[in-house]
Each structure stands twice: as C-alpha cells, then as structure tokens.
C-alpha cells in the first residue's frame, strides 16, 4: 500500500521495555523478574491474587490482570474457576500460526549506504497464496541502518522471519537437542536466507553470528500456546487483542 511504513525504536526493543518499566515504577508499580506464576488464586468466585512457583503468594487489591494469551490464561486458572461455557469459548479462539526467525550479525563492509540499503523489506513469494500461506511472506529488518549503536562499528544486525505462517505441528514434540530438530531448523530457515539474498546477495559470506528461532523457541521463551502469534479473530470478533482482567464474576474482560 502506498505510504505504508514499519517503525523501529531507537535503542531497539530494549528501549520499549525500559520505557514500560519507567512508567510502571513512576506509578508505584514494581517489576519482579524471574517470578513465575503457578496459578491464579480464586476465592469466592473472584480472582484474589497469584501463587508463585517458588511457593509465595501475591495478593491483588482489586483484580488480577493477565496479558497471557486466552489459552495460556486458562491453564493458570483452577479447575472450575470459570464456567465451562466461558472456558470453552476461550479455548476455541482461532489461533494464528507461528514463526521461524533468523537472527544475524554480519560484516557490513562494502554494503550500500544505510539510506540505500533500507531498514525494512518484505518478500512475498507468491501473491496468490496470501499472507498466511506457509513460509510465503518473509519480513526483513536491518535495524542498524537506523541505529548503528546496536552493533559494533562496521557491522549490521539482521532479523528475518516468517511472521505468523509457520505450522506448529511440524515441530510439535521434537527434542530441541536432537539431530532431527537441527535438520528441520536448517530446512525451514532456508526460505529466510533466500529472501535475504534478494536484499544482500552475498549475505551468507558476511555472517559472523547466526541464530535460528522456531515455533518451539517462541513457545518456550515467549510462553505462547503452540508458539502462536496470537488470536486469529476477524475485526470485531471476541476476544480481539486483549489484556484480561479477572475480578468480580471471573468473566474474561478483554480490552482492545
């Protein structure tokens, strides 16, 4: 679409995290890292706090707010805490597919100047397959074009990914230490390399750091159900993009 843009924050994703933490602390909040939630506590039909894996308990003054997905939130609720109707509605929410990520650190010697190289590129392999066709659309970001501080002098950081179009079931149950997993990572990341070669033809020769993320990576580190990008609802359908507030009545209240 003419005039469409993708933004990137100066300082990278960490700058957004830092801003959120500043806002949280400015308003009296406290960030607790490495504090895993085992269960949302429900008493008298109301969410009253959370139990930690470490055994501790944090009590809520008004409500428990979760930005976990609708599927993952259900796993944190005690059995019977919400009606089967509400539970089934949450669990039946359609999901988008997952990702394959390629994170690179490359030698930038001889590459075009930043204004010519560009920070964002979108590669569509087949316009007839749609944006959710398996491995059909690849997003490429070279953030050091905009913010050179993200890499040593003379280097570029590159991120390429198949956003929301990687089937989870291809990866389900694989041992992340197995040869089969390594083989599949190489196989399924090849489309990313080929897309990158349309922007930087000799990118493979320039690589100094290379990491591949998979739906299992997404599931493990982001703690997303099946590594999903999120809900696949159409505009106006429940739940949309949501942060769920569990308080009186234990209804899942979703804020756009």
């Amino acid at each position: 679409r003419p005039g469409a843009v993708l933004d990137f924050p100066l300082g990278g994703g960490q700058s957004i995290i830092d801003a959120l933490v500043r806002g949280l602390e400015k308003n009296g909040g406290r960030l607790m890292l490495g504090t895993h939630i085992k269960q949302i506590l429900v008493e008298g039909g109301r969410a009253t706090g959370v139990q930690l894996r470490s055994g501790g308990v944090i009590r809520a003054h008004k409500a428990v707010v979760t930005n976990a997905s609708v599927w993952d939130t259900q796993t944190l609720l005690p059995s019977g805490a919400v009606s089967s109707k509400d539970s089934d509605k949450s669990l039946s929410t359609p999901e988008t597919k997952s990702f394959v990520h390629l994170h690179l650190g490359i030698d930038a010697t001889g590459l075009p100047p930043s204004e010519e190289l560009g920070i964002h590129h979108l590669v569509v392999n087949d316009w007839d397959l749609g944006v959710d066709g398996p491995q059909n659309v690849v997003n490429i970001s070279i953030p050091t074009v905009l913010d050179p501080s993200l890499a040593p002098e003379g280097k570029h950081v590159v991120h390429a990914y198949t956003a929301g179009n990687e089937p989870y079931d291809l990866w389900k149950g694989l041992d992340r230490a197995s040869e089969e997993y390594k083989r599949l990572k190489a196989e399924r990341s090849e489309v990313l390399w080929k897309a990158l070669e349309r922007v930087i033809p000799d990118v493979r020769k320039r690589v100094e750091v290379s990491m591949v993320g998979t739906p299992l990576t997404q599931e493990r580190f982001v703690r997303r159900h099946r590594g999903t990008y999120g809900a696949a609802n159409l505009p106006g359908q429940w739940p949309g993009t949501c942060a769920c507030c569990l308080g009186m009545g234990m209804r899942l209240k979703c804020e756009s």
Side-chain angles (χ1 to χ4, degrees):
R1 179 180 300 176
V5 297
L6 287 173
D7 293 321
F8 191 87
L10 289 174
Q14 186 63 46
S15 65
I16 296 179
I17 296 171
D18 293 342
L20 290 171
V21 172
R22 288 196 301 271
L24 175 71
E25 294 177 341
K26 179 180 178 180
N27 289 279
R30 180 164 59 103
L31 177 66
M32 302 173 65
L33 299 176
T35 307
H36 304 289
I37 306 300
K38 180 179 181 180
Q39 188 176 69
I40 296 171
L41 299 175
V42 178
E43 299 167 352
R46 179 182 176 86
T48 57
V50 293
Q51 181 181 357
L52 309 179
R53 286 187 191 174
S54 62
V57 170
I58 299 175
R59 291 289 176 179
H61 293 294
K62 293 184 178 180
V64 175
V65 181
T66 170
N67 72 338
S69 72
V70 290
W71 312 280
D72 296 297
T73 296
Q74 286 292 325
T75 66
L76 296 173
L77 291 170
S79 177
V82 296
S83 69
S84 57
K85 179 181 178 181
D86 284 342
S87 179
D88 291 345
K89 190 174 185 178
S90 294
L91 295 174
S92 64
T93 302
E95 64 190 51
T96 58
K97 295 174 185 175
S98 191
F99 299 79
V100 173
H101 296 271
L102 183 60
H103 295 276
L104 302 177
I106 67 171
D107 180 11
T109 303
L111 285 178
S114 293
E115 59 272 17
E116 183 180 335
L117 181 59
I119 181 173
H120 290 124
H121 303 268
L122 183 69
V123 175
V124 180
N125 293 309
D126 187 339
W127 286 98
D128 292 329
L129 290 180
V131 296
D132 59 349
Q135 297 204 311
N136 188 44
V137 177
V138 175
N139 291 280
I140 298 170
S141 178
I142 312 173
T144 36
V145 162
L146 181 66
D147 187 356
S149 70
L150 298 175
E153 185 176 355
K155 311 297 180 183
H156 271 313
V157 171
V158 180
H159 179 205
Y161 56 102
T162 54
N165 57 33
E166 178 68 9
Y168 176 83
D169 287 337
L170 288 175
W171 304 84
K172 184 178 179 180
L174 288 181
D175 180 350
R176 290 181 288 107
S178 68
E179 289 301 317
E180 182 182 5
Y181 182 64
K182 294 177 183 177
R183 177 193 59 76
L184 193 59
K185 285 173 69 175
E187 175 186 314
R188 299 298 289 181
S189 63
E190 183 62 22
V191 68
L192 302 176
W193 286 106
K194 289 180 178 178
L196 270 172
E197 286 172 334
R198 297 171 67 170
V199 179
I200 305 174
D202 61 348
V203 64
R204 298 189 202 229
K205 296 179 180 179
R206 295 176 173 273
V207 172
E208 297 182 8
V209 177
S210 176
M211 296 184 292
V212 176
T214 73
L216 299 188
T217 313
Q218 178 85 358
E219 181 180 46
R220 181 185 179 205
F221 286 97
V222 187
R223 298 190 179 180
R224 279 281 189 168
H225 166 77
R226 290 168 55 86
T228 181
Y229 184 56
N233 298 72
L234 295 173
Q237 290 184 340
W238 185 95
T241 56
C242 71
C244 297
C245 304
L246 293 88
M248 295 187 66
M250 285 300 297
R251 300 285 293 188
L252 293 182
K253 177 184 177 184
C254 295
E255 309 286 352
S256 299

